[in-house]
Amino acid sequence: MVEYGAGTGVGLHRVLEPAGVLPQAALRLDTDPRIRPDEVRVRVERLNLDAASYRQLRTAHGGDPGAIRAEVLRIVAERGKMHNPVTGSGGMLVGVVDEAGPDSPLGLKEGDRVATLVSLTLTPLALTDGLARWDGRSEQVPAEGHAILFARSIAAVLPADLPVPLALSVMDVCGAPALTRRVVAARESAPVVAVLGAAGKSGSLSLAAARRAGASRVIGLVPTAEEQERLAASGLADAVVRADARDPVAVAAAIGEPADVTVVCVDVPGCEHGAILATAPGGTVVFFSMATSFSAAALGAEGLAADVTMLIGNGYVPGHAERALELLRSEPAVRALFTARAGADSAQ
Amino acid sequence: MVEYGAGTGVGLHRVLEPAGVLPQAALRLDTDPRIRPDEVRVRVERLNLDAASYRQLRTAHGGDPGAIRAEVLRIVAERGKMHNPVTGSGGMLVGVVDEAGPDSPLGLKEGDRVATLVSLTLTPLALTDGLARWDGRSEQVPAEGHAILFARSIAAVLPADLPVPLALSVMDVCGAPALTRRVVAARESAPVVAVLGAAGKSGSLSLAAARRAGASRVIGLVPTAEEQERLAASGLADAVVRADARDPVAVAAAIGEPADVTVVCVDVPGCEHGAILATAPGGTVVFFSMATSFSAAALGAEGLAADVTMLIGNGYVPGHAERALELLRSEPAVRALFTARAGADSAQ
């Protein structure tokens, strides 16, 4: 169903300049609302700007809402996508399917309310309302216009039974539990799983996914006494330990007997060596933090003579969004952690 | 045999400052020649400085051999290891085992001529000859002194049947064929394997390892007509194709039907998306290039909705050096490519 090699499924025909690059690398995309047979057009309702991008815009314009709004409009008009040229990041959007091409493999139909799970940096986007309803004061941007999804895009239908902000915050990290599940299930015997940064969104989902996939024991590592107490109370882990994830020796000591699978969900640099040291020979480390350094991981494992498999956390696993939402629904403890984190958002 | 968790096997007791960090992160190591039961002391014969480190030293001192020598002596005296504070890199050393502790798991005995396969940045080192025999004009440093190997160090006995520079250049990249072999052998059915940067050292070894591990077909991708001709003549690949590895669309077009396993041995940034696009759903990409960007790989796979497993190329796989040397011995085509690359070195 999905096209490879030829490259049409990835939206090459929407790249206006420079020719031949992928949409994410493009300076400018074609936002023509007429879709190809394998595309989907979405009527946009809301953009969720990437936090780093919004922060940069706010800082650059001294917090002036009008100037921030004008800048976003300018970027989208110029590039045909919301791709912040300074941060290189985008965000995601929520909208309603307007038209689904007959050859689209995404399984969407007209009227479906969806969230895009690929970055706005590669999504053709045209705005028509001048962002009149956006106050410029948060990364949540009410918007009107249209966006195009390719054959190889990812979009998830928003569930009717969950508040939209809650569903979005789950979808935002749904790759982590999906890959954790796959790695745990692939082990020959039930593994011990350690999650670094276990009280966060991706961490708590990964704990739940690991246990459900057959882990013999799940250990959560957190940095503070407060998180330790909260996670212990949730019952999501068999043991909750405390250490600074950037201190390899402290991490290894806190985990104790090394884990078979270690999942890194701590979004700060410098956690590679602790994760490696906490993992048994023949084990697997899954790095989900975007702060992971490739060379620190590669050289660290070599320097420690650690025979561990190290995975780059791929944000895409088929069915990841549905599975993560299902975890949230069936694990009240996960939902409670999410709701506590989201604060006011969860009430929307 | 190898100690984990407690951390003694990794040389923590040799760290003088700051306390509690791993030897690689340490400012200063203890070079006391008296070894612990799980350590090995090596009589140093030669240091091979990391190319980036030597280049920095030469540039900083305007190519003055005396000044370069003095700087290396100063670093080693101050830090107890050859850890270039500017580049952060080290190199490796060659020497003869002086004393092997009874509990050392490295399998070395007195008189063995070895190369260390862990970085000099974590190896306690003391020099005694003032580097008098070094002319300062290359990264090859004749030296006298001693070095300490920990339980979790990696050292390989130099083979008697191969020139030392040739053996060292094989050992330098021996992690790539070892991990390639493991990934290929673990597939349920014989995979198609593509190697990007296939005419280089790690690339040619990976091709040979993939074929020997049972690949159904091996494809080598190279950037130039000259390399294409050379690799085709070697017979190491079933097909040799040409493309700029930084151009995702060109890479996918050159590979054609996507590969089950893609091995990235190109040492330039920007090869992540091409490798992902050239890999079939359910396939594996192994990144060996230290120029790999973690976030480009993670976001790239997500942006392409690519269900591929992405591995960080761990430089350590047990038995990697012996296996790579065995490949070189038994595959004249690999040896010919290495010898052609090494140029004058191979005559030493």
Side-chain angles (χ1 to χ4, degrees), chain A residues 4 20 152 154 182 249 281 287 289-290 292 294-295 299 301-302 304-312 314-316 318, chain B residues 4 20 152 154 182 249 281 287 289-290 292 294-295 299 301-302 304-312 314-316 318:
Chain A
Y4 283 82
R152 286 182 72 168
I154 322 172
R182 185 184 274 186
V249 178
F287 290 102
S289 163
M290 293 303 287
T292 303
F294 182 91
S295 56
L299 295 177
E302 186 176 291
L304 294 166
D307 181 19
V308 295
T309 298
M310 297 186 289
L311 296 183
I312 296 174
N314 180 350
Y316 177 66
Chain B
Y4 283 81
R152 286 182 73 168
I154 322 172
R182 184 183 275 186
V249 179
F287 290 102
S289 164
M290 293 303 287
T292 303
F294 182 91
S295 57
L299 295 177
E302 186 176 291
L304 294 166
D307 180 19
V308 294
T309 298
M310 296 186 289
L311 295 183
I312 296 174
N314 180 349
Y316 177 66

Side-chain angles (χ1 to χ4, degrees), chain A residues 7-97:
Chain A
T8 56
V10 302
L12 287 181
H13 58 284
R14 292 277 183 178
V15 173
L16 293 177
E17 63 169 318
V21 304
L22 293 172
Q24 189 156 35
L27 289 174
R28 202 157 56 90
L29 297 180
D30 178 2
T31 62
D32 190 333
R34 291 168 299 178
I35 58 171
R36 290 207 174 188
D38 66 349
E39 292 181 332
V40 170
R41 189 178 61 253
V42 173
R43 180 161 45 76
V44 176
E45 293 184 342
R46 174 187 292 262
L47 309 179
N48 289 272
L49 301 185
D50 170 76
S53 174
Y54 176 71
R55 203 177 310 124
Q56 184 274 327
L57 291 165
R58 198 182 50 197
T59 307
H61 295 284
D64 173 4
I68 297 173
R69 192 189 300 123
E71 175 76 357
V72 171
L73 286 167
R74 192 188 60 74
I75 292 172
V76 175
E78 224 173 77
R79 310 201 63 174
K81 56 178 180 175
M82 182 50 209
H83 186 168
N84 184 322
V86 178
T87 62
S89 58
M92 61 194 292
L93 65 82
V94 172
V96 174
V97 172

Side-chain angles (χ1 to χ4, degrees), chain B residues 193-215:
Chain B
V193 178
V195 177
L196 312 190
K201 296 197 307 174
S202 56
S204 58
L205 279 169
S206 296
L207 277 178
R211 185 178 270 175
R212 201 169 280 199

